[in-house]
Amino acid sequence: MSLLTCSGVTMQYEGQRVLTDVSFSVDRGDFLCVVGENGSGKSTLMRGILGLKALSGGEISFCEGFDRREIGYLPQQTAAQKEFPTAVEEVVLSGCLGKKQFLPFYNAEDRRRAAQAMQRLSISDLRRRSFSALSGGQRQRVLLARALCATETLLLLDEPVSALDPVATAEFYEIIRSLNSEDGITVIMISHDILTAVSCANKILHLDGTVSFFGDCHAYRHSDAGRRFFECEHAKSQTV
C-alpha cells in the first residue's frame, strides 16, 4: 500500500524550474534512495514532501490517516547546528514539537518517547551533554533521535553522512538499515554515495530535473541512468 504518492510534481527554486512532472510512490516499509547530480532537485523535492515549499504543479498525497506532521526529518548538517549550546535531551525532545501545536510544555509521553529514542540510538549516556561538545557522529545520532520523536512511520534524510568520517558513516548507515528492517520505518534518503545507496535501499529514484529512473536497485544497475552514474563514480574513485 502506498504511503506517499507524487503525481506530476513540478517545483521552482528562485524563479527557475528545477523539477518537472515527477511521479513516483513509496510503500510502507520501503527504503528509497534519491540520487542525482547537484542541482537535480533532490532537496527541493524533499522540502515539497515536508510541505516547506509550495508546488508549481502536481500533487503530493499521503495514505488515509497519515499526517504530514508525523514525518521525521533529518536535514543536512550546517555550521549553525554544531553550535547549539543545548543539552542533548532537550534537542531530542524538540522532535515532539510538531505534534504539540500550541501546547507549551513537554508531557510525560514526550519524555518517554525521547528516552526511548535515545536508548534506541545508544546515546542515553549523552543526555546531559551539550550538543555543541559532541563529535559529528554523535550529533547525527542525536538529530536522528530527534526525528524519531516525530515519527514511527516515515523518515526523510538529506545527505545524513556528508560530514562524517568513514567509521561514523558505516555505523550510521547500519542504524538506518536497522530502523527500516527491524522497526519497519519507511525511509527516504538523499545520497551521493551511489554504491551504499544500492546496498541499503530497495528502490532508487534518480532525478535529473525529472525522473530519469524509478524502480528497484537491480534494474537501476542495468538502466542507462544507473550505468552512467556508476561509471562517473568509478572514474572519481580512480582519481583519489
Side-chain angles (χ1 to χ4, degrees):
M1 182 175 111
S2 293
L3 174 63
L4 162 70
T5 302
C6 290
S7 304
V9 169
T10 297
M11 299 183 70
Q12 296 184 349
Y13 183 75
E14 296 182 348
Q16 299 294 318
R17 181 175 290 189
V18 294
L19 288 174
T20 302
D21 195 26
V22 170
S23 298
F24 66 96
S25 63
V26 178
D27 295 336
R28 287 184 180 272
D30 273 350
F31 191 143
L32 173 70
C33 270
V34 184
V35 301
E37 299 292 343
N38 290 335
S40 60
K42 301 184 300 295
S43 293
T44 301
L45 174 63
M46 192 165 280
R47 289 176 63 81
I49 293 171
L50 289 163
L52 299 176
K53 189 166 183 58
L55 308 184
S56 301
E59 181 184 16
I60 296 175
S61 59
F62 299 91
C63 69
E64 185 177 355
F66 183 79
D67 191 318
R68 184 178 257 137
R69 290 176 300 174
E70 298 175 50
I71 297 174
Y73 175 47
L74 180 60
Q76 293 186 43
Q77 280 201 34
T78 65
Q81 287 176 339
K82 299 176 184 179
E83 301 305 319
F84 286 164
T86 312
V88 163
E89 186 173 29
E90 291 302 313
V91 174
V92 176
L93 270 168
S94 68
C96 298
L97 291 174
K99 297 181 179 180
K100 296 180 70 63
Q101 296 183 326
F102 301 109
L103 297 177
F105 304 110
Y106 298 118
N107 57 32
E109 174 60 17
D110 297 331
R111 297 190 180 280
R112 184 198 68 78
R113 285 185 64 85
Q116 186 178 50
M118 287 188 287
Q119 182 177 19
R120 180 68 178 85
L121 297 181
S122 302
I123 55 170
S124 297
D125 59 324
L126 302 177
R127 65 185 184 279
R128 302 300 183 198
R129 295 271 303 276
S130 171
F131 181 80
S132 61
L134 303 181
S135 68
Q138 289 171 329
R139 283 195 297 268
Q140 283 301 83
R141 286 186 184 226
V142 171
L143 293 175
L144 182 56
R146 179 184 185 275
L148 287 177
C149 279
T151 192
E152 296 177 351
T153 307
L154 176 60
L155 277 174
L156 268 58
L157 314 174
D158 192 350
E159 293 287 354
V161 300
S162 59
L164 304 185
D165 62 45
V167 173
T169 293
E171 291 175 348
F172 197 83
Y173 276 136
E174 186 55 39
I175 291 169
I176 299 303
R177 288 190 190 98
S178 175
L179 290 172
N180 175 247
S181 63
E182 296 178 18
D183 296 51
I185 295 176
T186 305
V187 176
I188 302 176
M189 180 176 74
I190 293 174
S191 178
H192 278 106
D193 183 353
I194 188 60
L195 295 177
T196 302
V198 297
S199 68
C200 288
N202 70 311
K203 292 181 181 176
I204 299 290
L205 173 66
H206 188 135
L207 293 177
D208 186 16
T210 187
V211 176
S212 292
F213 176 88
F214 173 66
D216 67 55
C217 295
H218 177 75
Y220 179 64
R221 286 180 177 272
H222 297 88
S223 69
D224 290 341
R227 282 195 297 266
R228 288 196 301 271
F229 219 44
F230 276 105
E231 288 170 2
C232 181
E233 291 301 302
H234 179 72
K236 288 178 183 177
S237 68
Q238 297 302 304
T239 62
V240 175

